[in-house]
Amino acid sequence: MKLIYTKEYVNNPEVVLILAHGAGAPADSSFMEALASALEKEGIACVRFEFPYMVKRREDGKKRPPDRQPKLLECFSGVVDAVLKDVGPDSLVLIGGKSMGGRMATLLATEKKGIEGVACFGYPFHPPGKLDRWRTDHFKDVEAPVLIVQGTRDPFGKPDEVADHLGAQPGILLHWLEGGNHDFQPPVRLQKSQQGLIEEAAAETRRFIDENLNVRGR
């Protein structure tokens, strides 16, 4: 499997985040490139990969739906194993991802050892407009701290909806990006940029790590 590393990965990184892509865009989409770059500027080395259905799409150009959950998790778990073996015990290893990739990260963190934190960017709390189909039942079983960075205009979960549904969920931290949609794109009237919100997301990820995970004591 081809992995995409940011430059600092090879320099005994203090923190590594394994980033999974969303359902419709590959690991090297403009959003994923910008996010990985912003995270690295915050001292977080990133590793990206692609799920099997996206690998096939890259090979023949045909769009496919995501693989079934067990196959997605098997692939994700294999990447985690490879990274844990590669970096050794001195690096803090987190997992996360964009949308579906973040959801798979939270699911994997309910069962896999060696994961010390989860960071999700645009979590798909529910399908747009379907508040009877929440994807949060497993949150109570996630053993690592979780950060979810979400745009306030995200149709997959807006502030009032999430607050009413989740309440104060132990171990789940939320950071809202004012005006951001599912791709952290704000409306023109706010005079903000997608890049600016991505950088805010990266800075919040660094803060989450520093305040909730024992980085310096490793």
Side-chain angles (χ1 to χ4, degrees):
M1 176 186 298
K2 180 182 178 182
L3 302 180
I4 304 172
Y5 305 97
T6 52
K7 293 178 181 178
E8 286 304 310
Y9 180 83
V10 299
N11 295 325
N12 298 314
E14 181 183 61
V15 181
V16 177
L17 174 56
I18 304 171
L19 271 177
H21 60 80
D28 60 354
S29 69
S30 59
F31 180 92
M32 294 291 283
E33 291 278 1
L35 179 60
S37 178
L39 288 164
E40 177 147 282
K41 289 178 181 177
E42 295 289 342
I44 304 169
C46 294
V47 180
R48 284 170 283 158
F49 69 97
E50 289 183 338
F51 292 112
Y53 78 96
M54 191 62 71
V55 173
K56 291 179 181 177
R57 171 177 157 178
R58 189 177 291 278
E59 290 172 351
D60 61 18
K62 296 180 180 178
K63 288 190 176 181
R64 294 174 170 80
D67 303 301
R68 297 182 67 83
Q69 183 174 305
K71 191 169 185 177
L72 294 173
L73 292 177
E74 179 183 16
C75 173
F76 208 151
S77 180
V79 175
V80 174
D81 288 341
V83 171
L84 287 172
K85 182 179 180 181
D86 195 24
V87 300
D90 293 332
S91 296
L92 185 79
V93 177
L94 295 85
I95 63 174
K98 172 73 169 75
S99 193
M100 180 196 75
R103 181 183 176 217
M104 290 303 112
T106 60
L107 286 163
L108 188 61
T110 67
E111 60 185 42
K112 192 167 185 65
K113 304 301 181 183
I115 295 167
E116 300 187 67
V118 182
C120 305
F121 305 93
Y123 189 86
F125 285 100
H126 58 72
K130 298 181 179 179
L131 297 180
D132 59 336
R133 292 176 56 187
W134 286 86
R135 297 159 171 158
T136 57
D137 287 349
H138 64 288
F139 278 9
K140 65 184 183 301
D141 300 318
V142 180
E143 297 184 3
V146 177
L147 171 69
I148 297 175
V149 183
Q150 195 87 352
T152 58
R153 297 190 303 125
D154 193 331
F156 288 85
K158 296 179 180 179
D160 290 347
E161 299 168 354
V162 174
D164 289 345
H165 177 73
L166 278 187
Q169 183 90 27
I172 307 293
L173 301 176
L174 282 156
H175 179 80
W176 293 97
L177 300 175
E178 182 61 36
N181 64 9
H182 195 52
D183 293 322
F184 299 172
Q185 182 72 53
V188 175
R189 60 179 172 78
L190 286 185
Q191 296 184 331
K192 295 183 178 182
S193 68
Q194 181 188 44
Q195 180 62 34
L197 292 187
I198 288 173
E199 290 172 1
E200 181 181 336
E204 188 62 29
T205 305
R206 180 77 243 189
R207 187 176 300 111
F208 162 74
I209 291 168
D210 290 342
E211 294 180 357
N212 296 277
L213 305 174
N214 185 21
V215 181
R216 308 300 176 189
R218 300 182 70 80

